[in-house]
Amino acid sequence: MENKKQPLFSPANMKLLSKPLGRDNPITVQVLGVCSALAVTVQLQPAFVMAVSVIAVLAVSNLLVSLLRTTIPPRIRMIVQLMIVAFLVIIVDQILLAFAFEISRQLSIFVGLIITNCIVMGRLEAFAMTNKPWQSFLDGIGNATGYGVILLIVAFFRELLGSGTLWGFQVIPQAFYDAGYVNNGLFILPPMALILVGVMIWIHRLKNNELIEKN
Amino acid sequence: MENLLNIFISSIFVDNMIFAYFLGMCAFLAISKTVRTSVGFGLVILFVLAVTVPLNYLIFNYLLKQGALVWISPDLAHVDLSFLSFIMFIAVIASLTQVVEMVVEKYAPVLYNELGIFLPLVAVQCAIMGGSLFMQEREYENILEVTVFAFGSGIGWLIAIVGISAIREKIRYSNIPAPLRGLGIAFIVTGLMAIGFMSFMGIRL
């Protein structure tokens, strides 16, 4: 209870927000949530919607689980957590179906897969079960944003190099195509997402030497 | 018959859970350090997929779908509970995982210790939930097709994890740039394997 008097946006709390963006990134460092991360990154728009959905689900579920953390019996906590997450994801799915039907079709099963997204379970287990609601809420936003950032970076390169567009708008001028430039079709296909993430991990670890594995 | 074979082959090679949809990547990268463990884990996934997907198919078709409750009384024809499908699917999967965990603990304690936290985490495996969601989305015609699809996906997953773990066992002896070691190279190798698997694209029997 020592941080009872802490202001809401104290440095310690802000760290919860900023750490997952860099040194503690859920995808490149904690290897959580890669599952659904890659399939939605062919274009920026679905990737953005996915990122926002994950931020909403993770922040709220972290908050709810943290509020309930003393009442959930440890033996069945997994099921309780799953139910909370599933309930939130159903709401997100229905909202997407109602207001963004096209994108919801594009994301297909991957909205449902937020339930089993390792980030959500991982953060609930590792953070929300042992921390207070406000901190958990921030942790949820921070981690989901870290996830979203990777998603957007991958989507940026895949859309730019794969189809020459960004957010659906043509960015590579027609003159380039006339001069013989061709879109790299490989970027639209799944394998390139994996390789891009691999390269991002590489760059990330070049900057943060302490993360290098021993092999 | 031909249709079934087609579903089987395409769910193993063309629509491979890992290489085409990246489902279950977390465990895939974390477990695939030795071939022995990954065979065990792959079999667990295969089993859970093969049981939960047909089970969820029955639940979806006889309880949740619009008009699915007609067998109780014709008045219920307009009831559409399909928005509940996520929560039902995950409940089925989580409870089955609990059973599998107990069985593995009893009969294969070595495997149980090696898998550690990842065994209970089968409940939140994207591959398994993904199997059920694909079943719902692709609208297979009968339970036989669904079972074949579930089996095929499980086998595809097994092949993928055994393949990558064999490669990673060898990679340990090679000189990789330090920042790329471990996770980074695993991603890139998976990407290259996925390119290899793309050669199966378009196969139809």
Side-chain angles (χ1 to χ4, degrees):
Chain A
M1 290 290 143
E2 76 280 351
N3 50 9
K4 208 176 176 182
K5 286 260 153 40
Q6 233 179 37
L8 281 183
F9 289 102
S10 65
N13 283 348
M14 288 320 280
K15 223 176 194 164
L16 291 174
L17 268 180
S18 63
K19 248 174 100 183
L21 292 178
R23 283 214 29 215
D24 239 354
N25 190 285
I27 292 192
T28 57
V29 182
Q30 306 174 45
V31 212
L32 295 173
V34 195
C35 332
S36 58
L38 304 173
V40 298
T41 51
V42 180
Q43 286 175 328
L44 267 176
Q45 212 173 355
F48 180 75
V49 173
M50 182 73 181
V52 173
S53 316
V54 171
I55 292 175
V57 171
L58 185 52
V60 178
S61 64
N62 246 359
L63 178 70
L64 288 180
V65 168
S66 173
L67 284 172
L68 292 171
R69 70 187 186 282
T70 44
T71 40
I72 299 176
R75 280 197 70 84
I76 58 158
R77 65 176 196 286
M78 202 102 152
I79 306 227
V80 176
Q81 291 164 357
L82 277 177
M83 286 305 129
I84 293 175
V85 178
F87 152 76
L88 291 167
V89 171
I90 288 177
I91 295 178
V92 168
D93 185 44
Q94 297 293 324
I95 290 177
L96 284 181
L97 279 176
F99 297 108
F101 189 73
E102 280 303 306
I103 292 184
S104 161
R105 279 284 142 261
Q106 251 178 314
L107 291 174
S108 81
I109 68 161
F110 290 96
V111 180
L113 283 178
I114 297 177
I115 300 176
T116 53
N117 194 321
C118 322
I119 291 189
V120 179
M121 278 315 270
R123 291 327 290 175
L124 290 182
E125 275 288 298
F127 200 89
M129 284 304 281
T130 47
N131 283 283
K132 294 211 275 182
W134 175 246
Q135 273 89 339
S136 308
F137 184 69
L138 287 181
D139 180 79
I141 292 185
N143 274 284
T145 313
Y147 163 91
V149 166
I150 301 279
L151 222 62
L152 289 177
I153 296 176
V154 176
F156 175 81
F157 284 112
R158 285 183 78 187
E159 190 174 352
L160 182 66
L161 299 174
S163 26
T165 56
L166 282 179
W167 203 271
F169 298 110
Q170 193 70 34
V171 273
I172 294 183
Q174 189 59 38
F176 278 41
Y177 291 101
D178 295 340
Y181 175 82
V182 182
N183 286 329
N184 187 345
L186 195 57
F187 275 86
I188 302 185
L189 298 167
M192 218 46 215
L194 290 166
I195 294 177
L196 272 177
V197 173
V199 172
M200 277 167 63
I201 292 175
W202 188 0
I203 297 169
H204 193 241
R205 289 192 181 177
L206 267 179
K207 296 261 186 299
N208 298 283
N209 280 318
E210 71 281 4
L211 292 172
I212 292 176
E213 289 173 53
K214 277 213 295 290
N215 210 8
Chain B
M1 193 59 217
E2 218 167 84
N3 188 23
L4 290 181
L5 198 63
N6 199 11
I7 292 177
F8 187 64
I9 298 290
S10 74
S11 58
I12 295 181
F13 294 111
V14 184
D15 291 332
N16 187 293
M17 285 264 182
I18 297 251
F19 297 133
Y21 299 104
F22 319 105
L23 297 179
M25 285 298 291
C26 312
F28 179 77
L29 292 170
I31 300 242
S32 61
K33 287 189 176 129
T34 62
V35 173
R36 234 164 48 89
T37 341
S38 52
V39 171
F41 191 71
L43 288 174
V44 170
I45 296 283
L46 171 59
F47 174 74
V48 178
L49 257 178
V51 176
T52 52
V53 176
L55 205 60
N56 281 334
Y57 175 80
L58 293 178
I59 290 178
F60 184 66
N61 270 284
Y62 293 102
L63 291 176
L64 302 176
K65 210 164 74 175
Q66 178 161 27
L69 290 169
V70 193
W71 57 272
I72 298 178
S73 107
D75 306 341
L76 297 171
H78 63 277
V79 178
D80 182 5
L81 294 175
S82 51
F83 66 91
L84 284 178
S85 55
F86 291 167
I87 222 162
M88 288 302 286
F89 290 172
I90 201 70
V92 169
I93 292 168
S95 42
L96 188 80
T97 314
Q98 208 95 73
V99 176
V100 170
E101 193 187 343
M102 286 193 279
V103 172
V104 173
E105 188 178 10
K106 180 113 178 28
Y107 294 105
V110 181
L111 183 65
Y112 182 81
N113 286 332
E114 277 175 16
L115 293 179
I117 177 71
F118 280 95
L119 200 50
L121 279 184
V122 171
V124 287
Q125 253 283 354
C126 317
I128 290 170
M129 187 67 179
S132 291
L133 292 173
F134 272 134
M135 171 274 292
Q136 186 189 7
E137 197 191 72
R138 292 185 187 158
E139 295 172 347
Y140 288 109
E141 269 160 30
N142 52 43
I143 183 103
L144 207 60
E145 285 186 12
V146 169
T147 317
V148 167
F149 159 72
F151 251 103
S153 303
I155 293 174
W157 211 89
L158 179 67
I159 291 177
I161 194 168
V162 173
I164 186 117
S165 60
I167 294 176
R168 282 181 85 174
E169 275 191 5
K170 294 286 175 226
I171 256 180
R172 218 167 294 152
Y173 306 110
S174 21
N175 188 13
I176 304 162
L180 205 51
R181 272 180 206 155
L183 196 58
I185 196 72
F187 264 106
I188 292 179
V189 167
T190 316
L192 294 177
M193 284 175 80
I195 293 180
F197 262 68
M198 276 171 47
S199 57
F200 293 111
M201 221 182 233
I203 289 186
R204 286 195 71 85
L205 294 175

